[in-house]
Amino acid sequence: MVTTDVSTPVPTAPRVSAARVGAVLEYFFTYSFRTREALTLLGVIWLTAVTEPVLYLLAMGLGVGSLIDSTIPVDSHQLSYIQFVAPAMLAVSCMSGAISASIFSFYTRHRHLGMFTMISTAAVSPAEVVVADWLWEIIRVTMLSAIFVAVMVVAGVVGVGNALVAFVATILVIAAFAAVGIGLSTLLRGWQDFDIITVAQTVLFLFSGTFFPIQQYPEWLQVIVQLSPLYQSIALLRALTIGDFGMALVVPIAYLLLMVVAGLLFSVRRLGRDLGR
């Protein structure tokens, strides 16, 4: 007696081709410099990237910082106010840049330009589209974080060695928020939903230990704050700028890596559903 195997085949995870990801990246680069996005990238964004960190450091160092005589304890270190705030503002800059760039760019290309639908017809998988877009946003925002770190060095807030280590860490922060930002962009129903993202960013900005230690909060609120991605980013960059390379860094690094994995997997699943793949 002959039997027929009618079992359902187990789906395999799509392979991500480095060549196809590179091709999509090249397309993003070419498209950006053929449209008005190039003017924004080379003009307003770069001007903002240079002036924003300078203004922040001047305001906090010469303004608010001059009114605070006491140092702020962080683990076993005593930090001036500008040393306390500067790495936090670097983390905020990475978060804002990555979230804004990834959500706006991905949403525009996907919902309004139909770019990903067109790309997917060229045998490019949703995973390759997401990874390419993710890398593109990392490249763009990392250039801006480099300027912020350079200003911190020139201002004497951090030494060159610790600044280089902190700069590498900013790439992880940007990667984490960019991955989450792409995922969030697939959930947006329209331009009005960008207001929700703005409110969420503002809440994180104000309540993640940016301007003062979270020990000022009640204990129950401290626990909630420590679960926020911006707090973990600030904790990582603040520790690195003061040269604290202990095991405590494992927690924020693991947290941000989890954001990268979860954000990319969610984004690939959502984009695949939109593209019918």
Side-chain angles (χ1 to χ4, degrees), residues 49-94:
V50 174
T51 57
E52 183 180 32
V54 173
L55 293 176
Y56 271 132
L57 292 179
L58 287 177
M60 296 303 168
L62 301 180
V64 178
S66 63
L67 302 176
I68 302 176
D69 297 327
S70 60
T71 57
I72 301 175
V74 176
D75 296 329
S76 59
H77 302 269
Q78 295 292 327
L79 306 182
S80 65
Y81 190 70
I82 186 62
Q83 290 175 323
F84 180 84
V85 171
M89 295 310 305
L90 174 59
V92 170
S93 178
C94 292

Short mmCIF file of all heavy atoms in Angstrom, two decimals, residues 49-94:
data_model
loop_
_atom_site.label_atom_id
_atom_site.label_comp_id
_atom_site.label_asym_id
_atom_site.label_seq_id
_atom_site.Cartn_x
_atom_site.Cartn_y
_atom_site.Cartn_z
N ALA A 49 22.99 69.80 13.49
CA ALA A 49 23.88 68.88 14.20
C ALA A 49 25.06 69.60 14.82
O ALA A 49 25.56 69.21 15.88
CB ALA A 49 24.39 67.80 13.23
N VAL A 50 25.52 70.68 14.20
CA VAL A 50 26.65 71.41 14.74
C VAL A 50 26.20 72.36 15.85
O VAL A 50 26.84 72.46 16.90
CB VAL A 50 27.36 72.21 13.62
CG1 VAL A 50 28.44 73.11 14.20
CG2 VAL A 50 27.96 71.24 12.61
N THR A 51 25.10 73.07 15.62
CA THR A 51 24.69 74.09 16.59
C THR A 51 23.98 73.51 17.81
O THR A 51 24.14 74.03 18.92
CB THR A 51 23.75 75.11 15.91
OG1 THR A 51 22.62 74.41 15.36
CG2 THR A 51 24.46 75.84 14.81
N GLU A 52 23.21 72.43 17.63
CA GLU A 52 22.44 71.89 18.75
C GLU A 52 23.31 71.46 19.92
O GLU A 52 23.08 71.88 21.06
CB GLU A 52 21.56 70.74 18.28
CG GLU A 52 20.66 70.18 19.38
CD GLU A 52 19.80 69.02 18.88
OE1 GLU A 52 20.26 68.27 18.00
OE2 GLU A 52 18.68 68.88 19.38
N PRO A 53 24.35 70.62 19.71
CA PRO A 53 25.17 70.22 20.85
C PRO A 53 25.91 71.38 21.48
O PRO A 53 26.09 71.43 22.71
CB PRO A 53 26.15 69.20 20.25
CG PRO A 53 26.14 69.45 18.80
CD PRO A 53 24.77 69.93 18.48
N VAL A 54 26.35 72.35 20.66
CA VAL A 54 27.04 73.51 21.21
C VAL A 54 26.11 74.31 22.12
O VAL A 54 26.48 74.70 23.23
CB VAL A 54 27.57 74.41 20.07
CG1 VAL A 54 28.13 75.72 20.63
CG2 VAL A 54 28.63 73.68 19.26
N LEU A 55 24.88 74.53 21.66
CA LEU A 55 23.93 75.28 22.46
C LEU A 55 23.56 74.54 23.74
O LEU A 55 23.44 75.14 24.81
CB LEU A 55 22.67 75.57 21.63
CG LEU A 55 22.84 76.51 20.45
CD1 LEU A 55 21.54 76.63 19.67
CD2 LEU A 55 23.31 77.89 20.92
N TYR A 56 23.37 73.22 23.64
CA TYR A 56 23.06 72.43 24.82
C TYR A 56 24.18 72.53 25.86
O TYR A 56 23.95 72.75 27.05
CB TYR A 56 22.85 70.96 24.45
CG TYR A 56 21.42 70.62 24.09
CD1 TYR A 56 21.13 69.90 22.94
CD2 TYR A 56 20.37 71.00 24.92
CE1 TYR A 56 19.83 69.57 22.61
CE2 TYR A 56 19.06 70.68 24.59
CZ TYR A 56 18.79 69.97 23.44
OH TYR A 56 17.50 69.65 23.11
N LEU A 57 25.43 72.34 25.41
CA LEU A 57 26.55 72.34 26.34
C LEU A 57 26.78 73.73 26.93
O LEU A 57 27.11 73.87 28.11
CB LEU A 57 27.81 71.84 25.64
CG LEU A 57 27.78 70.36 25.24
CD1 LEU A 57 29.06 69.97 24.52
CD2 LEU A 57 27.59 69.46 26.47
N LEU A 58 26.59 74.77 26.11
CA LEU A 58 26.73 76.12 26.64
C LEU A 58 25.64 76.42 27.66
O LEU A 58 25.90 77.01 28.72
CB LEU A 58 26.67 77.14 25.49
CG LEU A 58 27.90 77.21 24.58
CD1 LEU A 58 27.65 78.20 23.45
CD2 LEU A 58 29.14 77.61 25.37
N ALA A 59 24.41 76.03 27.34
CA ALA A 59 23.30 76.29 28.25
C ALA A 59 23.48 75.56 29.57
O ALA A 59 23.24 76.11 30.65
CB ALA A 59 21.98 75.90 27.60
N MET A 60 23.88 74.29 29.49
CA MET A 60 24.02 73.49 30.70
C MET A 60 25.31 73.79 31.46
O MET A 60 25.34 73.79 32.68
CB MET A 60 23.96 72.00 30.35
CG MET A 60 22.63 71.57 29.78
SD MET A 60 21.26 71.95 30.91
CE MET A 60 19.87 71.69 29.81
N GLY A 61 26.38 74.06 30.71
CA GLY A 61 27.66 74.30 31.37
C GLY A 61 27.79 75.71 31.92
O GLY A 61 28.11 75.91 33.08
N LEU A 62 27.54 76.70 31.06
CA LEU A 62 27.69 78.09 31.47
C LEU A 62 26.42 78.64 32.11
O LEU A 62 26.47 79.62 32.85
CB LEU A 62 28.07 78.95 30.27
CG LEU A 62 29.37 78.56 29.55
CD1 LEU A 62 29.63 79.49 28.37
CD2 LEU A 62 30.54 78.55 30.51
N GLY A 63 25.30 78.05 31.80
CA GLY A 63 24.03 78.53 32.34
C GLY A 63 23.64 77.83 33.62
O GLY A 63 24.01 78.24 34.73
N VAL A 64 22.92 76.72 33.49
CA VAL A 64 22.44 75.99 34.67
C VAL A 64 23.60 75.47 35.51
O VAL A 64 23.58 75.53 36.74
CB VAL A 64 21.53 74.82 34.23
CG1 VAL A 64 21.07 74.01 35.43
CG2 VAL A 64 20.34 75.34 33.45
N GLY A 65 24.63 74.96 34.84
CA GLY A 65 25.76 74.39 35.58
C GLY A 65 26.45 75.38 36.49
O GLY A 65 26.96 75.03 37.55
N SER A 66 26.50 76.65 36.08
CA SER A 66 27.16 77.66 36.91
C SER A 66 26.39 77.96 38.19
O SER A 66 26.94 78.55 39.12
CB SER A 66 27.33 78.95 36.09
OG SER A 66 26.06 79.49 35.73
N LEU A 67 25.11 77.59 38.24
CA LEU A 67 24.29 77.82 39.43
C LEU A 67 24.37 76.67 40.42
O LEU A 67 23.85 76.77 41.53
CB LEU A 67 22.83 78.02 39.01
CG LEU A 67 22.56 79.17 38.03
CD1 LEU A 67 21.08 79.18 37.65
CD2 LEU A 67 22.97 80.51 38.64
N ILE A 68 25.01 75.59 40.01
CA ILE A 68 25.09 74.40 40.87
C ILE A 68 26.53 74.21 41.31
O ILE A 68 27.41 73.93 40.49
CB ILE A 68 24.60 73.15 40.12
CG1 ILE A 68 23.15 73.36 39.66
CG2 ILE A 68 24.72 71.91 40.98
CD1 ILE A 68 22.60 72.23 38.82
N ASP A 69 26.79 74.41 42.60
CA ASP A 69 28.16 74.32 43.13
C ASP A 69 28.53 72.89 43.49
O ASP A 69 29.69 72.49 43.35
CB ASP A 69 28.31 75.21 44.37
CG ASP A 69 28.11 76.68 44.03
OD1 ASP A 69 28.47 77.06 42.90
OD2 ASP A 69 27.59 77.42 44.87
N SER A 70 27.57 72.12 43.97
CA SER A 70 27.87 70.77 44.45
C SER A 70 28.01 69.81 43.29
O SER A 70 27.49 70.02 42.20
CB SER A 70 26.77 70.29 45.40
OG SER A 70 25.52 70.26 44.73
N THR A 71 28.77 68.73 43.54
CA THR A 71 28.92 67.68 42.54
C THR A 71 27.80 66.66 42.71
O THR A 71 27.14 66.60 43.74
CB THR A 71 30.28 66.99 42.67
OG1 THR A 71 30.40 66.47 44.00
CG2 THR A 71 31.41 67.97 42.39
N ILE A 72 27.65 65.83 41.69
CA ILE A 72 26.59 64.82 41.69
C ILE A 72 27.24 63.44 41.75
O ILE A 72 28.06 63.10 40.88
CB ILE A 72 25.72 64.93 40.42
CG1 ILE A 72 25.08 66.32 40.35
CG2 ILE A 72 24.65 63.84 40.40
CD1 ILE A 72 24.30 66.56 39.08
N PRO A 73 26.92 62.65 42.77
CA PRO A 73 27.54 61.32 42.88
C PRO A 73 26.93 60.34 41.88
O PRO A 73 25.71 60.22 41.77
CB PRO A 73 27.23 60.91 44.32
CG PRO A 73 25.98 61.66 44.67
CD PRO A 73 26.03 62.94 43.92
N VAL A 74 27.78 59.66 41.13
CA VAL A 74 27.37 58.59 40.23
C VAL A 74 28.28 57.41 40.50
O VAL A 74 29.46 57.44 40.15
CB VAL A 74 27.47 59.01 38.75
CG1 VAL A 74 27.13 57.84 37.83
CG2 VAL A 74 26.56 60.20 38.47
N ASP A 75 27.73 56.39 41.15
CA ASP A 75 28.51 55.25 41.63
C ASP A 75 29.61 55.78 42.56
O ASP A 75 29.31 56.41 43.55
CB ASP A 75 29.09 54.45 40.46
CG ASP A 75 27.97 53.83 39.61
OD1 ASP A 75 26.92 53.52 40.18
OD2 ASP A 75 28.16 53.68 38.38
N SER A 76 30.87 55.59 42.21
CA SER A 76 31.97 56.06 43.08
C SER A 76 32.58 57.36 42.57
O SER A 76 33.62 57.80 43.06
CB SER A 76 33.06 54.99 43.16
OG SER A 76 33.57 54.68 41.88
N HIS A 77 31.93 57.99 41.60
CA HIS A 77 32.47 59.21 41.00
C HIS A 77 31.66 60.42 41.43
O HIS A 77 30.46 60.33 41.70
CB HIS A 77 32.45 59.10 39.47
CG HIS A 77 33.22 57.94 38.93
ND1 HIS A 77 34.54 58.03 38.57
CD2 HIS A 77 32.85 56.65 38.68
CE1 HIS A 77 34.96 56.85 38.12
NE2 HIS A 77 33.95 56.01 38.18
N GLN A 78 32.34 61.55 41.47
CA GLN A 78 31.69 62.84 41.74
C GLN A 78 31.77 63.67 40.46
O GLN A 78 32.84 64.05 40.02
CB GLN A 78 32.38 63.57 42.91
CG GLN A 78 32.26 62.86 44.24
CD GLN A 78 30.83 62.85 44.77
OE1 GLN A 78 30.06 63.79 44.53
NE2 GLN A 78 30.47 61.80 45.48
N LEU A 79 30.61 63.96 39.88
CA LEU A 79 30.57 64.63 38.59
C LEU A 79 30.06 66.06 38.74
O LEU A 79 29.17 66.33 39.54
CB LEU A 79 29.65 63.89 37.62
CG LEU A 79 29.92 62.40 37.38
CD1 LEU A 79 28.93 61.86 36.36
CD2 LEU A 79 31.35 62.16 36.95
N SER A 80 30.65 66.94 37.95
CA SER A 80 30.07 68.28 37.84
C SER A 80 28.76 68.16 37.07
O SER A 80 28.48 67.13 36.43
CB SER A 80 31.03 69.22 37.09
OG SER A 80 31.19 68.79 35.75
N TYR A 81 27.97 69.23 37.11
CA TYR A 81 26.66 69.13 36.46
C TYR A 81 26.79 68.92 34.96
O TYR A 81 26.04 68.13 34.37
CB TYR A 81 25.85 70.39 36.75
CG TYR A 81 24.41 70.27 36.31
CD1 TYR A 81 23.53 69.42 36.99
CD2 TYR A 81 23.93 70.97 35.21
CE1 TYR A 81 22.21 69.29 36.57
CE2 TYR A 81 22.62 70.84 34.79
CZ TYR A 81 21.76 70.00 35.48
OH TYR A 81 20.47 69.85 35.06
N ILE A 82 27.75 69.58 34.33
CA ILE A 82 27.91 69.43 32.90
C ILE A 82 28.38 68.02 32.55
O ILE A 82 27.97 67.44 31.53
CB ILE A 82 28.88 70.50 32.34
CG1 ILE A 82 28.94 70.44 30.82
CG2 ILE A 82 30.27 70.33 32.94
CD1 ILE A 82 27.65 70.71 30.14
N GLN A 83 29.21 67.42 33.40
CA GLN A 83 29.64 66.04 33.16
C GLN A 83 28.47 65.07 33.34
O GLN A 83 28.44 64.02 32.70
CB GLN A 83 30.77 65.67 34.13
CG GLN A 83 32.08 66.36 33.84
CD GLN A 83 33.13 66.06 34.89
OE1 GLN A 83 32.83 65.96 36.09
NE2 GLN A 83 34.37 65.92 34.46
N PHE A 84 27.53 65.43 34.19
CA PHE A 84 26.36 64.59 34.42
C PHE A 84 25.37 64.70 33.27
O PHE A 84 24.81 63.69 32.80
CB PHE A 84 25.69 64.99 35.73
CG PHE A 84 24.47 64.19 36.08
CD1 PHE A 84 24.58 62.96 36.71
CD2 PHE A 84 23.19 64.66 35.77
CE1 PHE A 84 23.45 62.21 37.03
CE2 PHE A 84 22.07 63.92 36.08
CZ PHE A 84 22.19 62.69 36.71
N VAL A 85 25.16 65.91 32.77
CA VAL A 85 24.12 66.15 31.77
C VAL A 85 24.59 65.83 30.36
O VAL A 85 23.80 65.33 29.54
CB VAL A 85 23.63 67.61 31.86
CG1 VAL A 85 22.71 67.95 30.70
CG2 VAL A 85 22.90 67.84 33.18
N ALA A 86 25.85 66.12 30.03
CA ALA A 86 26.32 65.99 28.65
C ALA A 86 26.10 64.60 28.05
O ALA A 86 25.56 64.49 26.95
CB ALA A 86 27.79 66.39 28.56
N PRO A 87 26.51 63.51 28.72
CA PRO A 87 26.24 62.19 28.13
C PRO A 87 24.76 61.87 28.02
O PRO A 87 24.34 61.14 27.12
CB PRO A 87 26.96 61.22 29.08
CG PRO A 87 27.15 61.97 30.35
CD PRO A 87 27.30 63.39 29.96
N ALA A 88 23.96 62.43 28.92
CA ALA A 88 22.52 62.23 28.83
C ALA A 88 21.96 62.91 27.59
O ALA A 88 21.12 62.35 26.87
CB ALA A 88 21.82 62.76 30.08
N MET A 89 22.44 64.12 27.32
CA MET A 89 21.98 64.82 26.12
C MET A 89 22.48 64.12 24.85
O MET A 89 21.81 64.15 23.82
CB MET A 89 22.47 66.27 26.14
CG MET A 89 21.89 67.12 27.26
SD MET A 89 20.08 67.03 27.37
CE MET A 89 19.60 67.49 25.72
N LEU A 90 23.64 63.49 24.93
CA LEU A 90 24.12 62.69 23.80
C LEU A 90 23.17 61.53 23.54
O LEU A 90 22.83 61.25 22.38
CB LEU A 90 25.53 62.18 24.10
CG LEU A 90 26.14 61.20 23.09
CD1 LEU A 90 26.23 61.84 21.71
CD2 LEU A 90 27.52 60.73 23.57
N ALA A 91 22.74 60.87 24.60
CA ALA A 91 21.79 59.77 24.44
C ALA A 91 20.46 60.26 23.89
O ALA A 91 19.85 59.61 23.03
CB ALA A 91 21.57 59.07 25.79
N VAL A 92 20.00 61.42 24.36
CA VAL A 92 18.75 61.99 23.86
C VAL A 92 18.88 62.32 22.38
O VAL A 92 17.96 62.08 21.59
CB VAL A 92 18.38 63.25 24.66
CG1 VAL A 92 17.21 63.98 24.00
CG2 VAL A 92 18.01 62.88 26.09
N SER A 93 20.04 62.87 21.99
CA SER A 93 20.27 63.20 20.60
C SER A 93 20.23 61.95 19.73
O SER A 93 19.65 61.96 18.63
CB SER A 93 21.62 63.90 20.45
OG SER A 93 21.90 64.20 19.10
N CYS A 94 20.85 60.86 20.21
CA CYS A 94 20.83 59.59 19.47
C CYS A 94 19.41 59.06 19.33
O CYS A 94 19.00 58.60 18.26
CB CYS A 94 21.72 58.56 20.17
SG CYS A 94 23.49 58.93 20.12
#
